[in-house]
Amino acid sequence: MSGFSSEERAAPFTLEYRVFLKNEKGQYISPFHDVPIYADKDVFHMVVEVPRWSNAKMEIATKDPLNPIKQDVKKGKLRYVANLFPYKGYIWNYGAIPQTWEDPGHNDKHTGCCGDNDPIDVCEIGSKVCARGEIIRVKVLGILAMIDEGETDWKVIAINVDDPDAANYNDINDVKRLKPGYLEATVDWFRRYKVPDGKPENQFAFNAEFKDKDFAIDIIKSTHDYWRALVTKKIDGKGISCMNTTVSESPFKCDPDAAKAIVDALPPPCESACTVPTDVDKWFHHQKN
């Protein structure tokens, strides 16, 4: 068990919906700043934002206090990814590694583009469909360098250490060997997923080839360094909320009561009163039309 838990506020698939994280004491924390990057030696934490096969584009709200997970909004409408043939929604458990940040003021030497202003993204390829807001421990296997509308947007490939087959996966070549076609599908998905919304195809560095585990870990470590500079105010975050409860050297650190006050001001926890459509496809079709 990770010791972390989550709490939903308001109903899913609404503008008010939020998922807040709690520590083992039940105190509210930031999934961006307070969940440690490392779960163990060579094992990273991952914040699950989007369960596999789902369509709602959920993400850590980097500009909101305590950075809850919420559904992305564009032009006043909740965002969903299309069912991009032949796939259904996201084809992995999708999320981020905490305590990382792709600095928009840093020009990446590998891509020639600046960071996308978010924590580094993770595609978890194990067999379990994870829950939104779940904190899992992952083994990093490789990385893809995507360029999204002129910004560097690294995609880490990882597997849950608790997956029954995790011991068989130790580098990107194991994914190629044991899940033939999965990495090609990943590139295809990321290349085309915005096209149904009228956007151009995304581009990639390294000719869309995946880099190995060691390369990936070096990139993650560099984004951790940028996060450290952000949360200690050595870099101007320009609107990013760095409110946290654990980073001792951060001027943005607050006590648990202040964090609780942020959450208490919002709609009540989502319990039996929250009605969620049981047919996800019908719900998605309704939202798109």
Side-chain angles (χ1 to χ4, degrees):
M1 297 292 290
S2 67
F4 299 102
S5 61
S6 64
E7 178 181 295
E8 294 181 303
R9 290 289 175 125
F13 316 118
T14 65
L15 293 171
E16 297 77 24
Y17 178 71
R18 301 289 186 274
V19 181
F20 285 91
L21 266 289
K22 292 179 176 181
N23 62 15
E24 67 282 356
K25 297 178 181 178
Q27 299 166 329
Y28 294 106
I29 60 172
S30 163
F32 189 1
H33 306 301
D34 291 320
V35 177
I37 180 174
Y38 291 105
D40 206 340
K41 186 178 185 297
D42 297 326
V43 177
F44 294 85
H45 277 125
M46 172 185 171
V47 181
V48 178
E49 298 166 314
V50 185
R52 183 189 289 113
W53 312 135
S54 63
N55 297 81
K57 192 177 189 303
M58 299 283 179
E59 59 187 17
I60 291 171
T62 58
K63 295 185 177 181
D64 292 3
L66 293 180
N67 317 112
I69 295 170
K70 68 178 183 181
Q71 190 164 354
D72 192 22
V73 176
K74 192 156 192 177
K75 296 181 180 178
K77 291 188 175 183
L78 296 166
R79 289 187 67 190
Y80 296 82
V81 299
N83 287 324
L84 192 70
F85 184 83
Y87 316 114
K88 169 65 179 78
Y90 288 74
I91 62 173
W92 346 255
N93 293 303
Y94 191 67
I97 295 179
Q99 297 188 339
T100 64
W101 181 55
E102 295 196 55
D103 182 1
H106 169 72
N107 192 289
D108 191 284
K109 66 181 180 181
H110 303 293
T111 65
C113 298
C114 294
D116 72 348
N117 206 28
D118 284 323
I120 197 166
D121 296 323
V122 191
C123 303
E124 192 279 318
I125 66 169
S127 56
K128 176 188 173 185
V129 176
C130 294
R132 187 183 308 128
E134 188 174 355
I135 307 297
I136 62 174
R137 301 172 301 145
V138 299
K139 183 170 19 172
V140 168
L141 305 172
I143 198 166
L144 177 68
M146 191 175 91
I147 300 170
D148 184 352
E149 298 183 35
E151 295 178 333
T152 301
D153 193 1
W154 292 102
K155 306 297 182 185
V156 175
I157 306 300
I159 190 166
N160 191 334
V161 297
D162 294 325
D163 189 272
D165 293 327
N168 297 323
Y169 290 86
N170 296 293
D171 211 325
I172 200 67
N173 286 330
D174 295 324
V175 184
K176 295 175 183 176
R177 178 173 56 88
L178 296 170
K179 288 183 180 284
Y182 202 8
L183 295 180
E184 291 84 353
T186 295
V187 172
D188 182 48
W189 195 95
F190 278 123
R191 189 187 302 279
R192 298 192 291 125
Y193 83 101
K194 288 188 174 182
V195 173
D197 295 326
K199 297 286 186 69
E201 290 187 349
N202 284 319
Q203 305 299 312
F204 303 89
F206 306 114
N207 196 31
E209 293 177 3
F210 288 83
K211 306 301 283 186
D212 66 12
K213 173 183 178 176
D214 290 342
F215 187 101
I217 289 175
D218 284 344
I219 294 295
I220 295 167
K221 287 180 177 177
S222 71
T223 62
H224 180 57
D225 291 340
Y226 294 127
W227 168 82
R228 179 74 61 185
L230 171 71
V231 81
T232 56
K233 212 174 180 179
K234 292 176 182 174
I235 293 177
D236 182 3
K238 296 179 181 178
I240 287 184
S241 174
C242 294
M243 183 180 188
N244 69 84
T245 64
T246 59
V247 186
S248 57
E249 66 271 36
S250 172
F252 305 103
K253 184 183 177 185
C254 70
D255 61 37
D257 289 339
K260 184 175 184 296
I262 294 289
V263 184
D264 286 347
L266 297 173
C270 181
E271 295 175 350
S272 58
C274 292
T275 56
V276 182
T278 55
D279 190 325
V280 176
D281 285 321
K282 282 184 181 177
W283 172 259
F284 175 61
H285 178 77
H286 172 72
Q287 292 297 315
K288 292 291 285 185
N289 296 283

